[in-house]
Amino acid sequence: MNKLSNRLKAIAKFVEKKDSVVDVGCDHGYLSIYLKKVINVKKIIASDINQNALNSAINNIKKSNLDIETVLSDGIKDVNLKGINTLVISGMGTSTILHILSDSDKLKNINKLLLQSNNDHEDLRKNLNKLGYYLEEETYTYEKGKWYVTCKFIKSDKKNTEETLKYGFLNNKGYNQYLLEYEANIIKKIPFKSIKAKINAILKYTQLKRTISKTK
């Protein structure tokens, strides 16, 4: 079995043996194989919108001699979610993830969402809260020069604080420093003549720094 990347291991840590999972956008199928072979989940379906990617997953699954269903699907549109309680979606942007999750009828039995978006994490958190999911845990993984944010949402009437929706849990010093440097670079790039934009960027940086200091 191919060695699982650290970013995918971060997702796998939130999966339990009792879970029945759909790996949306499974790519080569490495995570699906790991969840079945190592965690031995109750059920796993590997799906992808791209036939070539799915063929790669099918070949890898065959080599692993595992019972994993594969489905060609645009998100979860053509996936039978009967008996499924967990969705994994990674390697996509927030707008694509929200589009996949826009069909509320398909989500009625989904109690856990493990999402690893490439961008706009604040937007992701806020929209998932509106869909009835609570951000229970969030981890940060650095791999090949990039930070990956893994969110565990559970179906719940509970609501996260505005601060959590905006920044996440801020429990990783390396990621916190990355966020501060990112906002500082934005300030540097704004021309001095754009006074309002400069002030707003400085205020945003100051608020982030204050919030991080409170988490220590």
Side-chain angles (χ1 to χ4, degrees):
M1 184 177 74
N2 291 75
K3 186 178 179 181
L4 202 66
S5 64
N6 289 332
R7 74 174 185 88
L8 292 181
K9 282 182 180 178
I11 297 172
K13 286 178 182 178
F14 291 139
V15 179
E16 301 171 80
K17 186 177 180 179
K18 65 181 181 180
D19 289 335
S20 294
V21 186
V22 175
D23 181 8
V24 182
C26 66
D27 200 26
H28 299 293
Y30 298 146
L31 178 61
S32 297
I33 292 169
Y34 183 92
L35 295 182
K36 189 63 179 176
K37 190 169 186 176
V38 178
I39 298 179
N40 192 25
V41 290
K42 187 176 180 181
K43 182 178 181 180
I44 178 75
I45 298 174
S47 76
D48 206 288
I49 192 174
N50 184 285
Q51 185 66 67
N52 289 333
L54 193 64
N55 287 341
S56 177
I58 290 170
N59 288 333
N60 288 326
I61 290 167
K62 285 180 179 177
K63 291 176 184 177
S64 299
N65 294 314
L66 294 172
D67 180 22
I68 297 175
E69 181 183 347
T70 57
V71 181
L72 182 68
S73 176
D74 180 358
I76 55 177
K77 185 178 179 181
D78 299 312
V79 181
N80 184 352
L81 297 181
K82 184 177 180 180
I84 299 295
N85 74 310
T86 301
L87 295 184
V88 171
I89 309 177
S90 64
M92 307 176 199
T94 285
S95 61
T96 302
I97 292 174
L98 293 177
H99 173 71
I100 290 171
L101 300 177
S102 61
D103 187 344
S104 58
D105 286 339
K106 297 281 280 187
L107 296 180
K108 62 184 179 180
N109 295 319
I110 303 301
N111 298 317
K112 181 161 61 177
L113 295 169
L114 304 180
L115 309 178
Q116 198 178 80
S117 174
N118 294 335
N119 55 26
D120 300 329
H121 301 106
E122 179 183 351
D123 192 32
L124 181 71
R125 299 183 195 106
K126 287 182 175 180
N127 276 280
L128 265 293
N129 249 200
K130 290 176 183 176
L131 288 173
Y133 288 90
Y134 176 78
L135 181 63
E136 187 176 69
E137 294 184 69
E138 186 172 282
T139 61
Y140 314 94
T141 308
Y142 189 73
E143 186 172 76
K144 296 181 179 179
K146 184 176 179 180
W147 281 99
Y148 293 90
V149 180
T150 306
C151 303
K152 176 189 176 183
F153 292 94
I154 58 168
K155 185 168 281 187
S156 174
D157 293 330
K158 292 171 65 177
K159 298 295 181 183
N160 294 105
T161 65
E162 284 298 316
E163 206 167 72
T164 299
L165 294 178
K166 189 173 184 64
Y167 300 115
F169 291 127
L170 298 175
N171 54 14
N172 183 296
K173 289 183 179 180
Y175 183 69
N176 293 353
Q177 187 59 38
Y178 158 76
L179 287 179
L180 286 171
E181 291 174 359
Y182 179 84
E183 295 298 337
N185 285 331
I186 288 178
I187 295 171
K188 290 178 183 178
K189 292 176 182 178
I190 298 174
F192 281 104
K193 61 181 180 180
S194 302
I195 298 174
K196 187 176 180 179
K198 197 89 169 175
I199 292 173
N200 286 337
I202 292 171
L203 288 173
K204 186 177 180 182
Y205 173 85
T206 303
Q207 183 181 6
L208 173 62
K209 191 172 184 179
R210 188 183 301 119
T211 303
I212 288 174
S213 68
K214 289 194 299 181
T215 65
K216 293 180 180 179

